[in-house]
Each structure stands twice: as C-alpha cells, then as structure tokens.
DNA sequence: ATTTTTGCAAATCATTTGCATATAT
DNA sequence: ATATATGCAAATGATTTGCAAAAAT
C-alpha cells in the first residue's frame, strides 16, 4: 500500500472518506511549505475544486487533532499549518521565513528543561510549543540575505 | 525613581505619555497572569477608565515591540500577552493552564539546538518561540488535577 | 504651533455555527 | 436506511484603519 496518506489517517480514525476531504488531503500533500486555511482555499479554486470554506476548516481541525498537522503561528502573526511527516514522533518544525519551506527537527531538548523548571518554579510543565524560524539552505544559497537573529525572542 | 515601569519604557522610546497609555500600563502592571486585549478592556471598564479599543491594541503592539510584553498563543488558541519582568534577558514563560499565572524561565536551552539544526538541516535558525504550559504550584497545592501531559506536542 | 495620539465607527479578516441537503457507509 | 458530512450564508470575534477632534510636546 502507499506509505501513509492523510486520507488513510482520516480513514483509520473512522471518518468518512468524502470527496472534499480527499481533496483537502491532496492539496496539503502537494505542498512542502506552511499554509493557511485561505491558501488551501486558493489552491482549490485554482484547480477548479469546489470545497466549502467551512469544510476546509473542519478538515484542518481534524487533521491537527490526529497529529498530522501542526498549527504554527508565523512571526507575522498569521495562523498557519505544516504537515508532520512522519506524524508520530515528538518533533518541531523549522520554517523558512523567506520561502515558507519547512522541515522537521527531531531531538527536542525541551524535555530536559521541564524537571529543572519544576525544581526552580514549582510549575508542572505539561505541554510546550516550539516554533523555529530562519532561512532554508536553498534561500541561503540563492544569496538572499538571511533573516537577522532577533534580539529579544519569545 | 521607581524600578522601571511600562510607562518609563514608553517614555524612553520617545512615545508621548498620554492618559490612556498610562492607564493601559497600570492595568498590565496590576496583573500577574496572562491577559487578552479584551481582558484589559474589561479591566478598564470595571475601573471606570475610558480607553478606546483601538488604543489598547496600539499600546499592546508598542509594548510588545519594546520587549515589555510577549505575545503567547494559549493552548485554547487565544491570543494573549504576558508581561516580561525583567524585559531584557532572553527567557521564556510558563503559563498555568488552570489559573493563568505565569513566571519566567531563564536558561533557555534552545540556543544549543540551533547549531545542531544548522548542521543537520541546513536551516539557519534566526528566531524561536517557546511556550510552556502546565500547572502552577498554587493550583497543584489546591489539589486540582494537573493538566495531563499531551502526547503529541508541537 | 506642531506633531502625535485618541476614539469612534466602519472595514477587514479569520473562524465558527445553524441547518437543510447531499453523501458515504 | 441511517448517520455523517457538506456548503451556504449568517454570526461571531478579534484586530485594523480612516479620520476629525483632542492632547502632549
């Protein structure tokens, strides 16, 4: 069988495989960068797919819940999504601020912080979000000026 | 002089010290938890302060740009802010998902990840965002069930 | 006096929801 | 058949913007 598609994930979770859902899955699979809900709407229109706005949002919600997508807030403040491939392991994404491409980064070092935080602050850390932004190798190679490191982050 | 207030920060940055701005600064200073723009609007109304919605947003924007506030996206999806005290050093916030209180955590271990990421992915990491959520010591003591660690985070 | 800031109301924008219809199972 | 999902359009909610009036320098 094909590796493991978003459609498979929806299927495995017991959702019905409808035309709109297959199409949303296809649109996402064809992207290698982050995207917003409206990006997908535009993609769909461009390909002549008729998918309702609400359906796109509902699909994104389900796929996020299934761990197939991660919601990220871009530095610009936009709400975007990136596909998790593979979706199971704990990881983070680095998003290129220039072209939008993203890759996953395994080996999260945050875990080791939580004990330390508990000890120092008394807070029991349950979850965390990490969003990394920078410049991808392609954009670096193309001579574009890298995004300058920001002085005060997070 | 008083330690260093949000008002001082606005002043130092060359902004005019208007009544609404002083009031927003006061409202924020009186909070020890995260807050949304609407929270501040409500606080203001409660105290009989007449501050326009737009002014609140404009003030939050300036204070964020000055590094006095951090914008955080709560697990619920809400856009909130937390005060940075002190505002200068690189740090992150742990937010209590139960009561909203937050504290800063110094000693970010992300920095050490960036070289590794560069080596493994070719991405030049410029900025990062870390948002930590959990349960604060007070809430833990009060016997409330801690927020369960989430399986797939970020 | 001059420039900045305010506050309103309108505009924008993203996201959600109700509900009758259509579709997958 | 029957439960689920769609798609519209309307509702919601947050944030932004234009602009004349008000306030700070």
């Amino acid at each position: 069988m094909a590796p493991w598609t978003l459609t498979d994930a929806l299927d495995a979770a017991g959702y019905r495989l409808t035309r709109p859902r297959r199409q949303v899955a296809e649109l996402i699979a064809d992207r290698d960068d982050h995207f917003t809900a409206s990006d997908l709407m535009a993609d769909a229109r461009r390909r002549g797919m008729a998918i309702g706005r609400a359906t796109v949002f509902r699909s994104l919600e389900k796929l996020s819940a299934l761990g197939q997508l991660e919601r990220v807030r871009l530095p610009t403040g936009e709400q975007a999504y990136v596909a998790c491939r593979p979706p199971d392991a704990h990881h983070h994404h680095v998003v290129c601020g220039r072209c939008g491409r993203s890759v996953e980064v395994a080996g999260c070092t945050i875990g080791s912080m939580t004990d330390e935080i508990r000890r120092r602050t008394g807070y029991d850390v349950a979850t965390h979000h990490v969003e990394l932004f920078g410049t991808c190798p392609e954009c670096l190679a193309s001579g574009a000026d890298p995004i300058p490191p920001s002085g005060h982050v997070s």
Side-chain angles (χ1 to χ4, degrees), chain A residues 75-89:
Chain A
T76 61
E78 290 173 291
Q79 168 67 72
Y81 299 81
V82 295
C84 299
R85 343 183 204 251
D88 303 310

Side-chain angles (χ1 to χ4, degrees), chain A residues 1-150:
Chain A
M1 107 173 78
W4 191 257
T5 64
L6 295 176
T7 308
D8 293 331
L10 288 169
D11 192 18
Y15 294 113
R16 295 185 179 180
L17 298 184
T18 64
R19 176 189 53 75
R21 291 219 258 245
R22 288 171 189 283
Q23 292 181 322
V24 168
E26 184 187 334
L27 291 174
I28 295 172
D30 287 353
R31 281 193 161 261
D32 64 341
D33 56 355
H34 62 220
F35 55 87
T36 63
S38 336
D39 286 337
L40 287 192
M41 289 296 288
D43 289 355
R45 219 172 304 119
R46 202 173 302 121
R47 301 198 193 180
M49 294 171 171
I51 315 176
R53 207 176 333 136
T55 302
V56 170
F57 278 99
R58 286 188 280 233
S59 300
L60 289 176
E61 180 194 358
K62 284 182 175 53
L63 289 168
S64 299
L66 293 175
Q68 301 289 326
L69 298 180
E70 186 196 344
R71 301 180 84 144
V72 298
R73 160 146 298 235
L74 304 182
T76 61
E78 290 173 291
Q79 168 67 72
Y81 299 81
V82 295
C84 299
R85 343 183 204 251
D88 303 310
H90 179 85
H91 63 261
H92 301 295
H93 293 269
V94 203
V95 177
C96 176
R98 194 162 303 282
C99 70
R101 255 184 294 250
S102 66
V103 296
E104 286 178 10
V105 181
C108 166
T109 62
I110 300 283
S112 58
M113 279 177 77
T114 62
D115 285 349
E116 175 72 5
I117 290 172
R118 174 68 187 253
R119 208 169 48 68
R120 291 209 309 234
T121 68
Y123 274 66
D124 184 40
V125 177
T127 69
H128 66 261
H129 271 271
V130 175
E131 295 170 10
L132 300 156
F133 299 97
T135 312
C136 76
E138 286 79 6
C139 286
L140 284 172
S142 77
D145 6 287
I147 297 168
S150 101

